[in-house]
Amino acid sequence: MLLNYKLNYMRLKDKVAVVTGSSRGIGKAIAIKLAKEGAAVVVNSRKKESAQKVVDEIVKAGGKAVAVEGDVSKAETAKKLVDAAVKGFGSLDIFVNNAGTITYANFLDLKEEQWDALMDVDLKGVFLCSQAAAKQMIKQGNGGKIINISSIAGFIGFHNLPHYCAAKAGVIELTKQMALELAPHRINVTSIGPGAIQTDMTKQLEDDPKYLKQILARIPLGRLGQPEEIANVAAFLASDESNYITGETIFVDGGWLTF
């Protein structure tokens, strides 16, 4: 679907953003939304061809974007993403830590290597990328926005997801700490906690009608969320409209956490 730039508010005109894990799902929706709002976007994936497809969609619609391959659990990838923004578009104003992975295991059966693999991406990656982004934003002297994608799983427990819940809770607390330390540099740090969003990662819900019915029964709005609904919140947090918000997690969950 092509983007309609002419009808858009363009809240992020002349801004430069990086979105990790943005070749599909929530990350892709965020990258496209930020581009639609006027930002030049660095699209990231472990596979460059996957990221390039999103770049092609943005460019075809009149936006600016570049693809960067890399694993966010590696410090060199964090640096590469920041360098791509600065060298390609002149600055770094927005960094969205979206890249994540999920695996399932009962607490008693969870292997050390499963714990480490998930933590490396879902929590360590947020730390590495945020640190690299913040240093560049401080160097520029104009402040910036760092947005972390957490989950309602960082606030409540889920069966067979002990490592995922721990990582996402860590993202929420890291967001608070970063907000505290980076506030003097006019860098706002926030996180978004999605609920059940219709993506490849939740496809199993649609494949199991009984389980889907149980999930929907927990959601007051009675439906799964769409990636674009997370992207809309990310665009707000990336814009000047959110300049007095920092350290907060906004849960976008259809009301799941209300009971």
Side-chain angles (χ1 to χ4, degrees), residues 2-127:
L2 297 183
L3 312 180
N4 188 342
Y5 284 86
K6 293 182 180 178
L7 300 180
N8 202 269
Y9 186 18
M10 299 291 279
R11 289 176 291 183
L12 305 178
K13 189 176 184 297
D14 299 326
K15 299 292 186 180
V16 180
V18 173
V19 184
T20 67
S22 45
S23 65
R24 62 179 183 168
I26 290 173
K28 177 180 177 180
I30 292 174
I32 289 175
K33 178 63 176 179
L34 298 188
K36 187 177 180 182
E37 294 279 4
V41 182
V42 176
V43 178
N44 160 252
S45 173
R46 290 190 181 194
K47 297 180 179 179
K48 189 167 184 178
E49 58 269 27
S50 298
Q52 189 60 48
K53 290 179 181 178
V54 179
V55 168
D56 292 344
E57 185 174 346
I58 290 172
V59 171
K60 187 174 181 179
K64 297 179 181 179
V66 64
V68 175
E69 180 181 19
D71 176 356
V72 298
S73 69
K74 309 298 183 184
E76 55 264 32
T77 296
K79 183 179 185 303
K80 184 163 65 170
L81 290 168
V82 171
D83 288 346
V86 176
K87 293 177 182 177
F89 303 114
S91 66
L92 175 64
D93 307 293
I94 302 155
F95 201 104
V96 182
N97 286 297
N98 169 78
T101 186
I102 188 169
T103 55
Y104 297 88
N106 181 275
F107 173 73
L108 295 176
D109 299 323
L110 182 65
K111 306 299 182 184
E112 181 179 358
E113 55 268 27
Q114 289 177 290
W115 173 277
D116 289 343
L118 188 139
M119 285 290 174
D120 276 353
V121 176
D122 289 24
L123 185 55
K124 180 183 174 184
V126 174
F127 158 67

